[in-house]
Amino acid sequence: MWTIWNDLLQLFYPRQCLLCENLLIEGEKQICLYCLCDLPHTNYHKRPDNPMAGLYAGIPQIGETTAFLFFEKEGYTQTLIHALKYYGNKQLAEQLGRSASLKMKPDGFFHDIDCLIPVPLHPKKERRRGYNQSEWIARGIASVYQWPVNREILCRNIHTATQTRKSRYERHLNVEKIFTVKDSRALAGKHVLLIDDVVTTGATTIACIETLAKVPDIRISVFALAIVPILTETGNDSTIQRYPVHSDLHSECAAYKDL
């Protein structure tokens, strides 16, 4: 009976790919297989010189770090983030978290994790949106790795001003000291995986890490669904990673962070 009703729904309300708008075939969910393969993957988890690691250089508690997709203005990733922010598509967030995990797990990336911690929203913002997209990304990851998600342990107690048009330094100040850990003893000696949706300058995740790092013997790894591409300058002695402070791409990405 369900198959018949499903076929009728497909006849009158055909399911289309969010990206190319072609009809989805059986087994495809929201994104067709072609577009899923064509997403701008960072593959940072395969790189010994992982550029994202530079954002957290000097933090002794940091473990592994990676992002799934590059955030490109008017590209596929922006369309997906748009769907997460404007249309409350939490199933898409879960699907993308699962897709990322299916790429990372065979390569042995992320291991010995005790729990997943989504970057929290302020309660007021979460009530307005209806859900925390980072939590649903975490749920997708958990469905593959079989690790628990702890959405209560890290709290956001200050509702920050918009980060659009702010410089990297201003964004760091904007999120400084706004998070608290509810129960430090529960995380002591644990390896946690911090989950965020979009990393621009890293200010939000760094603020979370600085709060979590006060827990004794904690180890912190980081996953982001998307990241603004990191520019590199190669010198004689080292590679310096930097962000263009006032780029349109940063402002565009920050706008989605603030919605």
Side-chain angles (χ1 to χ4, degrees), residues 18-223:
L18 289 174
L19 299 175
C20 68
E21 298 185 351
N22 288 328
L23 295 181
L24 296 175
I25 63 175
E26 186 176 353
E28 293 180 337
K29 296 180 179 179
Q30 304 208 53
I31 308 172
C32 70
L33 183 59
Y34 178 82
C35 287
L36 197 61
C37 294
D38 202 36
L39 290 175
H41 301 108
T42 69
N43 289 315
Y44 281 172
H45 69 286
K46 295 183 178 182
R47 292 180 55 176
D49 61 336
N50 180 351
M52 188 171 170
L55 295 177
Y56 311 106
I59 303 175
Q61 295 86 354
I62 282 294
E64 297 175 302
T65 64
T66 193
F68 183 41
L69 305 171
F70 287 117
F71 185 97
E72 300 173 318
K73 190 174 182 180
E74 298 181 2
Y76 277 175
T77 304
Q78 182 174 358
T79 300
L80 297 175
I81 297 298
H82 185 101
L84 296 178
K85 302 289 189 179
Y86 284 147
Y87 298 106
N89 194 339
K90 55 189 178 184
Q91 288 78 20
L92 176 61
E94 185 175 18
Q95 179 184 346
L96 290 171
R98 181 175 176 82
S99 295
S101 297
L102 291 172
K103 283 182 68 70
M104 297 185 296
K105 190 175 181 180
D107 294 322
F109 202 80
F110 292 138
H111 57 281
D112 300 329
I113 301 292
D114 292 297
C115 71
L116 310 180
I117 300 180
V119 170
L121 298 176
H122 187 272
K124 184 183 295 185
K125 180 179 282 189
E126 186 166 352
R127 284 194 298 270
R128 186 174 70 239
R129 182 173 298 162
Y131 79 112
N132 178 356
Q133 69 279 2
S134 294
E135 178 190 345
W136 282 79
I137 294 168
R139 290 189 184 196
I141 294 172
S143 71
V144 175
Y145 281 99
Q146 302 300 309
W147 295 324
V149 178
N150 192 330
R151 69 180 305 274
E152 306 290 342
I153 198 77
L154 185 64
C155 305
R156 189 169 192 147
N157 46 39
I158 298 175
H159 185 61
T160 53
T162 178
Q163 301 214 79
T164 308
R165 302 293 177 184
K166 290 185 183 294
S167 70
R168 183 178 186 182
Y169 177 68
E170 288 169 334
R171 290 180 195 187
H172 177 75
L173 294 179
N174 197 39
V175 296
E176 191 176 21
K177 299 178 181 178
I178 66 172
F179 298 102
T180 56
V181 175
K182 186 176 289 186
D183 184 2
S184 295
R185 290 176 299 179
L187 294 180
K190 303 295 186 181
H191 184 187
V192 303
L193 178 57
L194 184 67
I195 310 293
D196 200 7
D197 58 348
V198 182
V199 165
T200 51
T201 64
T204 301
T205 50
I206 289 172
C208 290
I209 290 165
E210 289 175 346
T211 300
L212 290 166
K214 297 173 185 176
V215 175
D217 301 319
I218 195 171
R219 189 161 175 248
I220 307 161
S221 290
V222 182
F223 171 85

